[in-house]
Amino acid sequence: MPASSSTTETPPRLAVLISGAGSNMLAIARACAAGSIPARISAVISDVPTAGGIARARELGLATVVIDRRAYRRAGAADRAGFETALAAALEASGAEYVVLAGFLRVLSAGFVSRYAGRMLNIHPSLLPRHKGLDTHARALAAGDVEHGVSVHFVTAELDGGPLVAQSAVPVLAGDTVASLSARVHALEHMLYPMVIQLLTSGRLQWNDGRPTLDGAPLSAPLRVQ
Ligand code: GRF
């Protein structure tokens, strides 16, 4: 479904993919409920049955789907194709036009992400391209970074490598621990992700020829939001 359908009277549908606590999902759900994101959450989907975010989504009355990653193994290895077939079916059934990854700890194949090109975002807890992958707060501390933060980007087949849309930074303070730094970055995430999703679902943020545009103009650098 084209992104332009967000201009119709029916709010576009948004699926949120999680694997964990779901605090970003909650921030997105609140922004949808408040009308600051012009979309409605059609499904919260988790690959982990015990993810705290699934319970939180149920409490909010949101539709939830669990696609247990452990059920998709073949000959001792992850059956990514089988998992993605189930995920595609769940997204299709929910009618999602947009997909946002919010702490979703699965790498999706090139074929899968291409179906949602320009309609799928990820949030990553570092100032990309620094610290792709896991344990970003510990790695920022170990590297002696003076600044750390969060990035939102369009999803491509490259892990944490799609075109950047927006970033927010915090200074790394003397005495910071993984817990203290992660708490400050999480607070930024809850502000930044709903803001970018608002831009996307309102049609202001688009993806043209692999490049993000805002109000029709190419984004020459990620938006820096403080
Ligand atoms: C966040 O730090 C997000 O940037 C990363 O995973 C974490 C998810 O946290 N991709 P939560 O489940 O939204 O609380």
Side-chain angles (χ1 to χ4, degrees), residues 20-25 102-104 122-125 137 150 186 189-190:
S23 68
N24 279 285
M25 178 278 301
F104 183 65
N122 182 42
I123 188 160
H124 183 75
H137 310 303
V150 58
H186 249 111
E189 296 188 24
H190 301 157

Side-chain angles (χ1 to χ4, degrees), residues 46-51 66-74 76-79 83 106:
S46 174
D47 63 328
V48 178
T50 53
V66 172
I67 304 171
D68 189 346
R69 65 169 80 167
R70 293 167 309 182
Y72 294 90
R73 295 192 70 76
R74 196 184 289 162
D79 171 16
F83 176 83
R106 293 287 293 214

Side-chain angles (χ1 to χ4, degrees), residues 134-203:
L134 299 174
D135 301 324
T136 58
H137 310 303
R139 286 158 61 205
L141 288 171
D145 291 358
V146 294
E147 190 183 52
H148 185 47
V150 58
S151 305
V152 177
H153 63 91
F154 280 113
V155 176
T156 63
E158 190 193 338
L159 179 68
D160 300 327
L164 288 167
V165 175
Q167 295 184 311
S168 289
V170 284
V172 178
L173 306 176
D176 252 335
T177 61
V178 167
S180 64
L181 192 52
S182 137
R184 289 209 305 289
V185 170
H186 249 111
L188 283 184
E189 296 188 24
H190 301 157
M191 171 276 300
L192 188 69
Y193 213 9
M195 193 210 88
V196 176
I197 294 168
Q198 188 274 332
L199 292 177
L200 182 71
T201 54
S202 66

